[in-house]
Amino acid sequence: MNESELDYEGGDLQKEDPLLRVEDLRKTFGGVVAADDATFAVERGSITGLIGPNGAGKSTLFNLISGFYEPDGGAVYLGDEEITGMRPDQIAQKGLIRTFQTPRKLEGMTVRESLLVAPAGQRGESLLPLWTSPSSVTAQEDELLDRAEDLLSFFEIDHLATEPSPELSGGQLKLVELARAMMTDPDVLLLDEPVAGVNPVLEEKLAEHIRRLNEEQGVTVLLIEHDMEFIMDLADPIVVLDQGRVLVEGTPEAVRTDDRVVDAYLGGVAE
Amino acid sequence: MTDGQSFLQSPIGATRGWWDDLETEERNTIVGLAVFGGLLLAATAVGILNPTYLLYLLTLAGMFTLMTLGLNVQWGYTGLVNFSVIAFWGIGAYSAAMVTAERSPLGWELHPVWGVVVAVVASALLATLIAVPTLRLRADYLAIATLGFAEIVRMVINNERAYTNGSAGIPGIPSVAEWVESPDLVSFLTIALLVAVVYLVLRRAQLSPWGRVQRTIRADEDLAQALGKNTFRFKLQSFVLGSVIMALAGVAYVHLITPLITPTGLEPIRTFYVWIGIILGGSGSNRGAVVGGLTIVAIRQAPSFIRNQLLNVPAIAPYVSEINVGALRLFLVGVLVILIVRYRSSGLLPPKREHIWSKTLEDRS
Ligand SMILES: Nc1ncnc2c1ncn2[C@@H]1O[C@H](COP(=O)(O)OP(=O)(O)OP(=O)(O)O)[C@@H](O)[C@H]1O
Ligand SMILES: [Mg+2]
């Protein structure tokens, strides 16, 4: 470690209107410090990138933010509300939706059906209304079917609607995952490597889709990606994580030319 | 294809169209059931099988089908492991026996309707009691807890003589036989109706948003949570619903099949018969659960039936009388398990399209 690295005080919290704030988040697994007092904020309406070498703790941060891991210290705020310690489903219902690094397939469901799962608080999710007010359940299902159809065409996967979801390619699964996340009408999307293993053509499309979600629907995005070209093109600002700590935060240009970032990546390779 | 079109005008053509639409598994199962049903009817017609016995077998099959349907909710829909199947059946049977039987130590002699009410409430409460602390933990804990729970239920029933009569059991449970002319037929019709109602209720639940969340939990609980589903609530509902259906099977047993319940009825091995039933039928499929329920009864009853028939043949009777039916049963089950694992690991009728709500298959573009 060099001097400048130790000088760095963590991410910039002085945003104009931060929607998601992470303060001094800490998580250890045995001897591994996966999140080491990580601090940063995501500006409302931004596409913020999160990069760092393998094992830097990016996915761990996602798990901490979305409630899948309990932090050993620190806090997470969504808007003005502290969400630390809430259950994943509670956090999701507050409008923060995350995807997983390995795409999840839903055995025995068609793509369309796997989209219908997503919206929260459906009437038919309680047992009694299935018999006491079947028509309101059906009416809501029809609304959701229309919504699913719109999203499937937005992501240009309407031809896959009746396909069983385990039979999709990796890239198609990523699109389905995005569409499913959008079914919940989220405020913040946390995307863990949305283009890993995706061919360049589809990658281009995914970038375009994410940009449109952000611009047209006002979704705030925090995304992890190893593909530098993809993330530098899409995200601004970019937060660089190394060994659980926020190393640098800045514009793509600033990050690209920062010595500490170069060191972190080279160090990661050498190890 | 044009030929098929014109055929569709006639009833035969319509039937053919329906048959062509079926999947191989569905056709095989239909053929298998038809052959088996035909054999049973033929055996009854020539007098080998007594009609009363046939009705008894079918009633028993209905009872096992209730248990497989209940377990299918827990394991097939949601992926919950329950090794307490027979304990919940026993809770149902004992609830009914204790409040209705003349010779129950409680001596309440209530109407059987109260037996049903007590069975439902008791099984729902006890299911909640074991599910609440374990469902938030890793999946294996529920399995372990249910394994222990089954033993506890059996021990309590064996030892709380003041309520259960202990190992002597509770005789004299009011039975349909006391009220009607042909109890076998009425028992069969009652259980058939019960199975039909439970089947329809479960099918509605399965094809609803509720069932969709359950299937999501089974496939990937993290994903369900990430989408904002309170998976604990859904798992609890599934576990309680399944357990209540198992208890209903127990109630049906004492009122419709045998007016006596003893703790030996709660042998743990019966839980595994039910498991074999749904694995054989196809986990997740209600139709598969029905086929599984029928198969369990066939396997459990066939050895003693065939043995009795062979005893009538003087030439081989001495050898046949040496056969231990209990051992043969276990042997057959073992062979069956090996065959399923080898040739049909997803069961005779895996859910496939059954799960998928037809509207999600429509061409909407
Ligand atoms: N559940 C866990 N149990 C034990 N160790 C874990 C767990 N999750 C993460 N870790 C460890 O924490 C560190 C950070 O892992 P994490 O998955 O967050 O890295 P990442 O930045 O997402 O890496 P990648 O780019 O390879 O996905 C690693 O050393 C990893 O082994
Ligand atoms: Mg990762």
Side-chain angles (χ1 to χ4, degrees):
Chain A
M1 276 191 194
N2 58 38
E3 277 297 304
S4 58
E5 209 176 319
L6 292 172
D7 286 345
Y8 193 73
E9 289 288 291
D12 174 17
L13 276 174
Q14 306 309 311
K15 297 276 157 65
E16 267 176 28
D17 183 12
L19 183 52
L20 178 68
R21 282 184 299 138
V22 168
E23 284 181 14
D24 298 323
L25 263 194
R26 192 168 185 83
K27 182 74 186 174
T28 54
F29 297 106
V32 180
V33 184
D36 190 358
D37 296 339
T39 298
F40 66 96
V42 177
E43 178 80 4
R44 188 186 300 273
S46 71
I47 299 181
T48 302
L50 184 60
I51 64 171
N54 287 110
K58 305 179 296 294
S59 298
T60 302
L61 266 185
F62 269 25
N63 282 325
L64 289 167
I65 295 169
S66 58
F68 279 88
Y69 291 166
E70 207 170 315
D72 297 329
V76 184
Y77 297 88
L78 183 62
D80 294 330
E81 189 178 6
E82 178 167 359
I83 57 170
T84 334
M86 287 188 185
R87 292 197 313 265
D89 56 286
Q90 293 172 318
I91 294 173
Q93 296 218 14
K94 295 200 178 293
L96 186 147
I97 297 291
R98 57 87 53 94
T99 64
F100 294 91
Q101 187 165 343
T102 38
R104 308 291 177 117
K105 357 185 140 183
L106 284 175
E107 192 90 18
M109 285 197 200
T110 61
V111 166
R112 185 188 278 150
E113 205 176 13
S114 83
L115 255 61
L116 294 178
V117 177
Q122 300 177 34
R123 256 167 249 147
E125 285 181 358
S126 305
L127 282 171
L128 274 187
L130 299 180
W131 292 278
T132 55
S133 58
S135 55
S136 78
V137 171
T138 313
Q140 198 181 33
E141 283 287 274
D142 287 338
E143 273 168 38
L144 294 183
L145 276 167
D146 289 342
R147 196 176 153 70
E149 225 48 40
D150 291 345
L151 279 166
L152 287 172
S153 28
F154 178 88
F155 289 102
E156 297 167 49
I157 44 175
D158 24 1
H159 58 289
L160 298 175
T162 59
E163 209 67 21
S165 56
E167 279 164 33
L168 305 179
S169 72
Q172 291 171 330
L173 275 172
K174 296 280 186 186
L175 283 167
V176 170
E177 202 161 42
L178 256 186
R180 187 163 55 215
M182 286 309 295
M183 280 294 284
T184 65
D185 201 6
D187 300 326
V188 193
L189 264 184
L190 267 53
L191 305 176
D192 199 343
E193 304 197 11
V195 296
V198 169
N199 71 53
V201 182
L202 201 54
E203 183 176 319
E204 192 66 30
K205 268 196 181 157
L206 269 158
E208 190 49 42
H209 287 318
I210 294 170
R211 196 172 286 127
R212 278 184 64 196
L213 290 180
N214 175 253
E215 283 167 9
E216 294 169 17
Q217 324 225 0
V219 181
T220 304
V221 179
L222 175 64
L223 72 95
I224 298 176
E225 193 44 73
H226 280 294
D227 185 324
M228 286 303 153
E229 208 178 319
F230 176 87
I231 201 161
M232 296 280 171
D233 195 36
L234 191 60
D236 185 7
I238 287 175
V239 177
V240 186
L241 206 67
D242 184 36
Q243 299 183 13
R245 293 188 71 93
V246 175
L247 194 60
V248 182
E249 179 181 342
T251 61
E253 298 75 52
V255 163
R256 210 195 314 255
T257 52
D258 195 299
D259 287 343
R260 291 166 299 183
V261 178
V262 176
D263 282 350
Y265 272 89
L266 289 179
V269 171
E271 260 169 30
Chain B
M1 257 343 316
T2 38
D3 266 348
Q5 292 293 331
S6 58
F7 257 121
L8 276 179
Q9 310 303 324
S10 71
I12 304 168
T15 314
R16 177 169 300 184
W18 166 81
W19 182 255
D20 287 343
D21 276 348
L22 294 180
E23 292 180 5
T24 323
E25 289 90 346
E26 294 173 325
R27 290 184 202 165
N28 292 344
T29 309
I30 290 172
V31 170
L33 286 178
V35 168
F36 185 61
L39 280 177
L40 284 182
L41 284 181
T44 315
V46 300
I48 300 178
L49 199 60
N50 174 338
T52 312
Y53 184 57
L54 179 64
L55 283 173
Y56 164 77
L57 287 183
L58 291 174
T59 311
L60 205 58
M63 187 203 77
F64 266 102
T65 300
L66 285 176
M67 288 202 270
T68 50
L69 283 170
L71 184 59
N72 189 46
V73 175
Q74 299 172 336
W75 169 246
Y77 292 11
T78 319
L80 302 175
V81 173
N82 180 359
F83 290 136
S84 269
V85 177
I86 201 63
F88 283 107
W89 176 90
I91 288 164
Y94 266 93
S95 300
M98 279 158 65
V99 303
T100 64
E102 194 188 326
R103 287 159 66 190
S104 150
L106 297 180
W108 294 351
E109 291 184 59
L110 300 180
H111 189 273
V113 167
W114 288 107
V116 176
V117 172
V118 173
V120 167
V121 172
S123 57
L125 282 180
L126 289 167
T128 309
L129 192 73
I130 42 172
V132 164
T134 47
L135 279 182
R136 288 193 201 276
L137 306 173
R138 270 201 347 247
D140 358 358
Y141 286 95
L142 179 66
I144 297 166
T146 55
L147 214 47
F149 178 73
E151 271 316 282
I152 293 170
V153 169
R154 210 157 61 98
M155 295 297 186
V156 168
I157 288 176
N158 240 321
N159 292 301
E160 289 299 320
R161 294 205 187 84
Y163 304 98
T164 64
N165 260 352
S167 57
I170 302 177
I173 302 160
S175 143
V176 279
E178 296 165 20
W179 309 311
V180 294
E181 283 283 309
S182 47
D184 306 299
L185 186 62
V186 171
S187 292
F188 168 67
L189 292 176
T190 312
I191 204 120
L193 184 70
L194 193 57
V195 169
V197 169
V198 168
Y199 183 93
L200 290 175
V201 166
L202 294 185
R203 181 160 173 72
R204 170 75 175 129
Q206 182 184 40
L207 292 180
S208 72
W210 184 85
R212 205 157 56 203
V213 175
Q214 300 291 5
R215 275 179 286 140
T216 308
I217 292 174
R218 186 180 213 267
D220 191 336
E221 187 172 350
D222 284 348
L223 177 59
Q225 283 191 308
L227 292 171
K229 311 300 175 195
N230 182 350
T231 56
F232 174 77
R233 173 181 82 107
F234 284 97
K235 290 194 291 185
L236 182 62
Q237 288 176 342
S238 162
F239 192 75
V240 171
L241 179 61
S243 301
V244 167
I245 295 168
M246 293 164 192
L248 286 178
V251 177
Y253 177 78
V254 294
H255 288 307
L256 302 176
I257 301 176
T258 312
L260 161 73
I261 180 79
T262 64
T264 49
L266 275 75
E267 285 175 327
I269 182 90
R270 297 199 178 175
T271 288
F272 294 94
Y273 278 115
V274 179
W275 270 97
I276 290 165
I278 67 159
I279 291 167
L280 176 102
S283 301
S285 164
N286 287 321
R287 299 178 313 182
V290 175
V291 173
L294 294 174
T295 314
I296 299 170
V297 173
I299 294 241
R300 279 176 55 89
Q301 301 297 321
S304 59
F305 175 73
I306 292 171
R307 179 173 181 270
N308 291 343
Q309 294 307 312
L310 294 180
L311 280 177
N312 294 335
V313 185
I316 53 171
Y319 307 105
V320 173
S321 64
E322 298 281 310
I323 296 174
N324 177 335
V325 171
L328 185 59
R329 223 180 239 173
L330 283 179
F331 171 74
L332 282 180
V333 171
V335 170
L336 187 72
V337 170
I338 292 169
L339 290 179
I340 303 171
V341 172
R342 175 70 184 78
Y343 296 103
R344 272 300 178 78
S345 51
S346 50
L348 292 176
L349 266 180
K352 288 197 177 174
R353 291 183 310 181
E354 183 191 352
H355 260 169
I356 295 170
W357 183 40
S358 59
K359 271 196 188 167
T360 68
L361 280 175
E362 278 166 17
D363 188 2
R364 291 171 60 91
S365 45

